[in-house]
Amino acid sequence: MNYYSLNQGAPKVSFKEAAISGQAPDKGLYFPETIPALEPDLIRDIETLPEAEIAFRVIRPYTGGTLPDDVLFDIVSQTVNFPFPLVPVTDSIASLELFHGPTLAFKDVGARFMSRCLGYFLKDQQKEVTVLVATSGDTGGAVASGFYGVEGVKVVILYPRGRVSPVQEKQLTALGNNITALEIEGSFDDCQRLVKQAFTDEGINAKHFLTSANSINVARWLPQQFYYFFAYKQWREKSMAPVVTVPSGNFGNICAGLLAKATGLPLGHFIAACNANDVVPSFLQTADWQPRKAVATLSNAMDVGDPSNFVRIMELFDQQLLKLKDNLSAVSISDADTIATISSVFSKTGYTLDPHGAVAYRALENYREGHPQAKGFILETAHPVKFPEAVKAATGADIDIPGALGGLMRRPKQAITMPPDYEAFKSYLMSR
Ligand SMILES: *Cc1c(COP(=O)(O)O)cnc(C)c1O
């Protein structure tokens, strides 16, 4: 299995090369050359298979022999070593909880898988490998935790001072070891600018082997398919394909779900649930792609104005909008409706949604108004404790901090403070 660039201007590469380079040299996203067909017994026996076995069988065709089976099995076992429960909320809606990983957000799976693949692929490199990431919050924590202790890889995370939540800051700064946090006296855009400039800096590249842990990397994108298999494993009414609702920002997660369905996983209609950042919902209505500057919302991990993975979804449906619309709808949910949904679901059922899950929940409720027989699940992508103000405002209840996070909260913050200045950043990297 090889990967081609969706910009069609770069040679095909192996999974290993795609995972190391992230983006193709023509700036396109990599896409698998063929859509593998599932082995029929995987679906037939899914209820009896352990999660690691399912994950191994799903991802193996995509790795195209670049990882020996025993190595790949170890990697997926470490990637999915926490629960993924499908929790019934009402008779017709369940919540697939993807927040039981170390940083309480679904990005843990992609980050853990990618870090271990890179650790394996780069172990014979002569140069030191440095992963550079700019983060506005969630990604940095998942990457820090995912790469923590991975041999041969150092991680440098840039985050904007005072603009991440206290929990997020601890996740970036309290690990230490091979993870270094740079607290930039500026905005997220400043952090991103410094990282982008470093990637093109010959001096730095001569000294360090730089790579990014960007969400468009195939090694972060493809393992997200696992969620949909784990949900199907737990779906009781196998005779009725579940409607799948995914809170979407950059559209990587939902694209992985649509890919899983394309390989033969029996899922029903997909709904992309967006916040006020409604580029995709408008595109499905008007066929006009109008990227915009992101606007800030309560579901901030979905504040994306130009969703980069959507080109992969179009490719999956042969660039045919009508075909796409048969399988996918997209809606935009306001902050007011997000809060109202957290509140009403809590009072009717006792279930606590986070703002991202609430966007999905409302989208599925709206869909069910037109399809009252439909049953389905939402992907609950973050633990409500990560958004305590919004959740408390909606429910009036305090949320307990899960045990693992409590330990992290007691560890000291370690960060290097730096102005948003390229020379300062460069001299730091060159002195390492
Ligand atoms: C990143 C993120 C999303 C959006 O996922 P995409 O793959 O970018 O669409 C949704 N919820 C949470 C909590 C996230 O961190």
Side-chain angles (χ1 to χ4, degrees):
M1 162 88 74
N2 283 320
Y3 291 80
Y4 60 94
S5 165
L6 290 179
N7 284 359
Q8 315 290 354
K12 288 181 185 170
V13 297
S14 67
F15 176 77
K16 173 178 172 175
E17 291 165 285
I20 293 174
S21 57
Q23 216 168 15
D26 64 358
K27 307 254 188 290
L29 271 64
Y30 281 121
F31 198 82
E33 209 173 20
T34 49
I35 306 297
L38 293 181
E39 305 152 18
D41 62 329
L42 176 61
I43 299 303
R44 196 189 60 218
D45 302 340
I46 196 159
E47 289 184 17
T48 63
L49 296 175
E51 270 63 27
E53 172 83 24
I54 297 171
F56 174 76
R57 289 173 64 175
V58 169
I59 203 73
R60 189 171 177 273
Y62 295 93
T63 59
T66 56
L67 292 153
D69 281 352
D70 57 330
V71 172
L72 181 60
F73 195 82
D74 269 359
I75 291 177
V76 295
S77 304
Q78 292 168 26
T79 301
V80 299
N81 66 354
F82 48 85
F84 300 84
L86 184 68
V87 178
V89 181
T90 68
D91 287 345
S92 353
I93 301 184
S95 168
L96 180 69
E97 294 185 348
L98 301 179
F99 55 69
H100 295 282
T103 74
L104 312 181
F106 85 97
K107 291 192 173 67
D108 281 328
V109 163
R112 287 162 81 79
F113 184 79
M114 176 184 170
S115 63
R116 285 160 179 80
C117 289
L118 282 188
Y120 177 80
F121 290 145
L122 299 173
K123 67 180 167 16
D124 302 325
Q125 280 279 339
Q126 297 302 310
K127 273 194 275 184
E128 186 188 69
V129 177
T130 302
V131 175
L132 280 187
V133 231
T135 184
S136 55
D138 264 359
T139 301
V143 169
S145 162
F147 282 81
Y148 180 68
V150 172
E151 249 171 79
V153 184
K154 297 232 158 64
V155 177
V156 177
I157 299 173
L158 290 77
Y159 74 98
R161 173 149 103 180
R163 301 199 197 180
V164 301
S165 78
V167 170
Q168 287 175 330
E169 183 166 46
K170 284 288 176 163
Q171 289 176 337
L172 303 174
T173 61
L175 289 175
N177 193 345
N178 59 330
I179 313 293
T180 306
L182 303 183
E183 183 177 18
I184 303 296
E185 297 164 310
S187 64
F188 169 64
D189 290 334
D190 290 321
C191 298
Q192 204 151 33
R193 177 176 50 79
L194 296 177
V195 166
K196 281 196 176 151
Q197 198 170 343
F199 278 116
T200 61
D201 188 311
E202 283 176 21
I204 296 175
N205 283 285
K207 175 142 195 236
H208 297 284
F209 186 94
L210 290 186
T211 184
S212 82
N214 200 296
S215 68
I216 60 170
N217 193 302
V218 294
R220 261 189 74 186
W221 169 51
L222 293 168
Q224 300 180 102
Q225 293 179 89
F226 302 160
Y227 311 139
Y228 301 86
F229 286 86
F230 298 165
Y232 184 74
K233 170 179 172 172
Q234 300 170 76
W235 185 251
R236 288 282 142 250
E237 296 174 65
K238 293 273 192 300
S239 59
M240 187 186 216
V243 176
V244 182
T245 311
V246 188
S248 295
N250 222 359
F251 280 70
N253 190 3
I254 193 167
C255 183
L258 290 163
L259 177 61
K261 183 178 175 183
T263 63
L265 185 63
L267 300 175
H269 190 69
F270 271 66
I271 304 169
C274 303
N275 55 30
N277 295 283
D278 64 349
V279 176
V280 172
S282 324
F283 173 72
L284 292 194
Q285 273 185 357
T286 62
D288 188 20
W289 184 255
Q290 286 293 345
R292 285 186 278 275
K293 227 173 128 74
V295 299
T297 72
L298 290 174
S299 46
N300 58 16
M302 290 148 51
D303 294 348
V304 179
D306 188 3
S308 38
N309 278 293
F310 197 73
V311 291
R312 284 184 167 139
I313 296 185
M314 289 302 291
E315 185 72 358
L316 203 51
F317 293 99
D318 306 321
Q319 307 294 333
Q320 293 175 27
L321 188 57
L322 286 179
K323 204 166 153 187
L324 171 66
K325 284 180 18 176
D326 278 344
N327 288 274
L328 174 76
S329 44
V331 283
S332 162
I333 304 292
S334 68
D335 272 359
D337 283 345
T338 304
I339 289 285
T341 303
I342 300 176
S343 180
S344 73
V345 170
F346 182 74
S347 66
K348 281 188 211 143
T349 70
Y351 190 78
T352 307
L353 292 162
D354 98 296
H356 303 79
V359 167
Y361 198 96
R362 173 56 70 100
L364 182 50
E365 278 184 324
N366 290 355
Y367 179 83
R368 289 192 70 258
E369 281 169 16
H371 306 81
Q373 305 304 320
K375 296 188 175 189
F377 60 88
I378 62 155
L379 275 66
E380 179 44 293
T381 46
H383 194 293
V385 78
K386 296 189 90 172
F387 305 92
E389 291 88 19
V391 174
K392 191 168 179 186
T395 64
D398 278 313
I399 320 159
D400 292 334
I401 294 191
L405 198 57
L408 191 65
M409 294 307 280
R410 283 189 292 277
R411 286 166 74 159
K413 164 181 167 182
Q414 306 171 54
I416 300 170
T417 306
M418 205 173 271
D421 164 40
Y422 185 68
E423 285 314 311
F425 177 52
K426 177 169 181 175
S427 67
Y428 166 75
L429 285 179
M430 294 305 284
S431 69
R432 282 162 50 93

